[in-house]
Amino acid sequence: MKDLGVAVVTGASRGIGRAIALALGQKGYVIAGTATSAAGASAISEYLAEQGIAGGGFCLNVCDSANIPSFLSEVSASFSTPAVLVNNAGITDDNLFLRMRTEQWDQVIETNLSSLYHMTKACLKPMIKARHGRVVNVGSVVGLTGNPGQANYSASKAGIVAFSKSLAIEYAKKNININCVSPGFIKTEMTDKINEEFKNNLINKIPSGTLGTGEDVSNCVAFLASEMSNYINGETIHVNGGMYMS
């Protein structure tokens, strides 16, 4: 298998991030996956090794901008500088707006949006030097539609779309493509905890009549990371079974 370089995937210990790391690894990328805990980082290393994929897990809180340079230095020393960055890490902390605490707003915006500023800024520098790179940012359908109880989460995901477009314009001439993948409702550990009545209501809003899978999202990310997407830049690709069409 051809070595395509290093792909950094944030929030790679489970769910969509895990699927993305596996998809890119199977294409030939060396994976540097991040998790907020040592146990999560170990889990990444284990599943990569089980699949015969080069790379490993790293402990990194994407909100801690002071530690990002040392993380990238460790990745570069272990493998090489990143050719691909997938900004996937994200959290929810839901509440109706008038009940939402300032901490709930700040933490979701910091994790889901501000972290992209810090991670992308650090990874762009070696990409510019190499005159090649791919950045894929993971948004959400609610960043386009809104969702009651998720003003913080929806705002953070809407910001990702505009962030991606702006950087795509800035760095296109450096041969760096920056795009966004916007999943709908995907079957993960999080959605497994939703009660059946609410889940059925969700499914009824999806023309395909099913929840998506992590692989549905990761296949799209892998495409955007590949040379097949050379002329795609600043786009948001919706992976939601037809629930939202722009």
Side-chain angles (χ1 to χ4, degrees):
M1 183 184 295
K2 182 181 178 182
D3 182 353
L4 298 176
V6 174
V8 171
V9 182
T10 66
S13 62
R14 59 182 180 174
I16 291 173
R18 184 181 191 274
I20 291 170
L22 287 171
L24 291 177
Q26 288 159 1
K27 294 292 184 183
Y29 286 98
V30 177
I31 303 300
T34 77
T36 55
S37 67
S42 294
I44 294 168
S45 296
E46 288 173 11
Y47 74 67
L48 292 176
E50 287 172 2
Q51 297 296 319
I53 294 171
F58 297 80
C59 188
L60 176 70
N61 181 345
V62 293
C63 294
D64 189 356
S65 59
N67 282 334
I68 292 174
S70 59
F71 156 71
L72 289 175
S73 293
E74 188 177 356
V75 170
S76 297
S78 301
F79 311 118
S80 182
T81 57
V84 172
L85 168 64
V86 182
N87 285 306
N88 167 74
I91 62 169
T92 58
D93 195 352
D94 301 345
N95 215 336
L96 294 175
F97 181 67
L98 289 180
R99 297 177 183 173
M100 186 175 289
R101 302 185 310 278
T102 301
E103 299 79 34
Q104 288 179 287
W105 175 271
D106 288 345
Q107 187 173 14
V108 170
I109 295 296
E110 182 69 20
T111 303
N112 296 4
L113 184 57
S114 297
S115 68
L116 270 68
Y117 167 81
H118 299 296
M119 286 296 301
T120 307
K121 194 170 189 178
C123 289
L124 271 178
K125 292 176 182 178
M127 291 180 185
I128 291 170
K129 186 176 181 179
R131 296 195 66 82
H132 185 272
R134 296 285 188 271
V135 179
V136 184
N137 299 316
V138 178
S140 169
V141 64
V142 302
L144 286 303
T145 65
N147 203 34
Q150 289 193 315
N152 51 0
Y153 185 76
S154 298
S156 71
K157 294 300 185 177
I160 287 174
V161 173
F163 175 84
S164 302
K165 289 179 178 180
S166 298
L167 292 196
I169 296 168
E170 287 188 33
Y171 294 101
K173 290 185 178 179
K174 302 294 186 182
N175 197 29
I176 298 170
N177 289 13
I178 300 168
N179 292 288
C180 182
V181 173
S182 184
F185 289 96
I186 306 300
K187 182 175 174 56
T188 62
E189 292 178 17
M190 186 182 297
T191 54
D192 285 343
K193 296 175 183 177
I194 298 174
N195 70 65
E196 288 302 311
E197 182 180 358
F198 186 72
K199 188 182 294 186
N200 288 334
N201 287 336
L202 282 178
I203 291 173
N204 288 335
K205 297 177 182 177
I206 303 170
S208 68
T210 61
L211 296 178
T213 67
E215 288 70 28
D216 291 324
V217 180
S218 66
N219 288 338
C220 186
V221 173
F223 166 71
L224 290 173
S226 75
E227 298 304 310
M228 291 187 292
S229 68
N230 278 348
Y231 208 53
I232 299 175
N233 201 15
E235 288 295 329
T236 297
I237 299 181
H238 302 283
V239 185
N240 58 44
M243 178 182 177
Y244 173 85
M245 305 179 195
S246 62

